[in-house]
Amino acid sequence: MGRILDRVRQLACGAVVTMGFALAATGASAETVTDLAGRTVEIPASVHRIILGEGRLVYALAPLEKQHLFDHIVGWQGEFRGADTQSYDQYVATFPQAAGIALIGKTTADTVSPERVLDLHPDLAILTVSGHGPGKSSELVTQLESAHIPVVFVDFRADPLHDTIASMQILGRVLHRETEAADYLSFYQSHLKRITDRIATVPQAQRPRVFIEMLAAMRESCCHTAGKGNMGAFIEAAGGQNIAAPLLPGYIGDIDLEKVIASDPDFYIADGTKGPKASGPGLRMGAEVTPDIARASLLKVMERPGISSLRAVTDGHAFGIWHSFYDSPYNILAVEVMAKHFHPDLFADVDPEATQKELYSRFLPVRQEGTFWIDARP
């Protein structure tokens, strides 16, 4: 701890001198933003060395930085390469420097080393309010603030359809990519409004009852799911009734299989993010996964006792979806896919594949070939 405090004092002095010199030389001035933790943060006039509290924040930075995505990232947590290995590999193939980014931790907040972060000399840290990385009460935040290094919180998990908009606006400002953020949000909000405007005309009694099993079959017992928020928010926005919403106190949790069976949902959704070569049970979904592999894994997931007897499964109202939509600004694709399933006549003109192609071609520096949703029946 003594070494960390000494390092903080050194960086604090250096940060103040460096920022003062930079602002004097350029005539630029820092500005303030209010982040998703409700904190007022002064951000530097230019950002050169960024720490990501979660590696999967690259999903959000990609539409803003595009070909410059990895120019300034000097450290990140290692959950990206573990939880979405195929996407990580595709990004490294396009940006080889990504493989050399320093790891500040593994997959949980308690593995993050404040000393390691400080040694990377960041001038900005981007963390998430909820998820796998350090939270606002973490020791890392205390150390960074003591060193006068700005810390900004965003979030894509708890209240995704609201916080995606706020988070992309915040990132646009702190990265000085306001134009890019506005462009992405124009695309995002126009697609979301098309769904929500039509759903507003659908009576509650005509909205199907839906159960989503997150990381399906990857745990010893069913059922890990979303409540009020997260994937549950996608279900509600798409015109479904999430059966787990009244059963969970938070936005993610577990419910008993017996409660799922008793609820008798009209639709069953499985999510997953395993690669085509992964071992063990679970849904193969995401980059590098073919439709045949995805569907075969979905059928295996649905063969389990209890799940196989659900009316939604026997009636063919079942599909699989990419798990990482749950913490990504690409979640509009999940909403469109769900709306198309729940209300096919109402959304006959909506084409999630076309939306995905537009998102990839306009906003992403890496074209992620793979399967991100699949029907149980061809």
Side-chain angles (χ1 to χ4, degrees), residues 54-56 59 77-89 106-107 132 157 215 218 272-275 278 283 285-287 322-327:
E54 292 194 44
R56 282 176 291 181
Y59 300 150
Q77 192 169 245
E79 97 295 338
F80 178 36
R81 66 182 67 184
D84 190 7
T85 304
Q86 311 96 270
S87 292
Y88 171 80
D89 289 343
K106 297 179 181 178
T107 61
H132 294 268
R157 279 188 183 86
L215 299 174
M218 290 180 60
T273 187
K274 283 200 165 189
L283 185 67
M285 187 63 60
W322 187 46
H323 174 67
S324 289
F325 282 131
Y326 94 120
D327 65 347

Side-chain angles (χ1 to χ4, degrees), residues 99-115:
I101 294 174
L103 292 179
I104 62 170
K106 297 179 181 178
T107 61
T108 58
D110 59 1
T111 64
V112 174
S113 165
E115 184 175 20

Side-chain angles (χ1 to χ4, degrees), residues 27-76:
S29 60
E31 62 174 316
T32 60
V33 299
T34 301
D35 68 10
L36 279 212
R39 302 158 60 257
T40 300
V41 183
E42 187 174 275
I43 59 173
S46 59
V47 176
H48 301 286
R49 299 180 64 81
I50 300 171
I51 292 291
L52 300 182
E54 292 194 44
R56 282 176 291 181
L57 280 168
V58 295
Y59 300 150
L61 267 61
L64 307 180
E65 299 282 53
K66 296 185 172 69
Q67 283 73 26
H68 300 286
L69 178 58
F70 291 100
D71 288 2
H72 304 299
I73 300 173
V74 297
W76 57 3

Side-chain angles (χ1 to χ4, degrees), residues 153-204:
F153 280 92
V154 295
D155 203 65
F156 297 92
R157 279 188 183 86
D159 187 7
L161 300 182
H162 175 272
D163 290 346
T164 289
I165 296 169
S167 293
M168 294 301 283
Q169 289 172 334
I170 291 167
L171 290 173
R173 290 187 65 190
V174 301
L175 299 173
H176 305 290
R177 298 287 190 186
E178 291 93 339
T179 299
E180 290 82 357
D183 192 24
Y184 184 79
L185 287 176
S186 176
F187 160 84
Y188 181 92
Q189 290 177 289
S190 65
H191 281 271
L192 181 60
K193 187 175 186 297
R194 177 173 60 170
I195 301 296
T196 56
D197 281 357
R198 295 185 196 179
I199 289 303
T201 69
V202 180
Q204 196 71 14

Side-chain angles (χ1 to χ4, degrees), residues 86-98:
Q86 311 96 270
S87 292
Y88 171 80
D89 289 343
Q90 290 187 348
Y91 270 93
V92 168
T94 302
F95 299 97
Q97 67 267 39

Side-chain angles (χ1 to χ4, degrees), residues 241-255:
Q241 300 181 63
N242 176 23
I243 67 166
L247 302 176
L248 291 176
Y251 66 89
I252 288 179
D254 299 313
I255 62 175

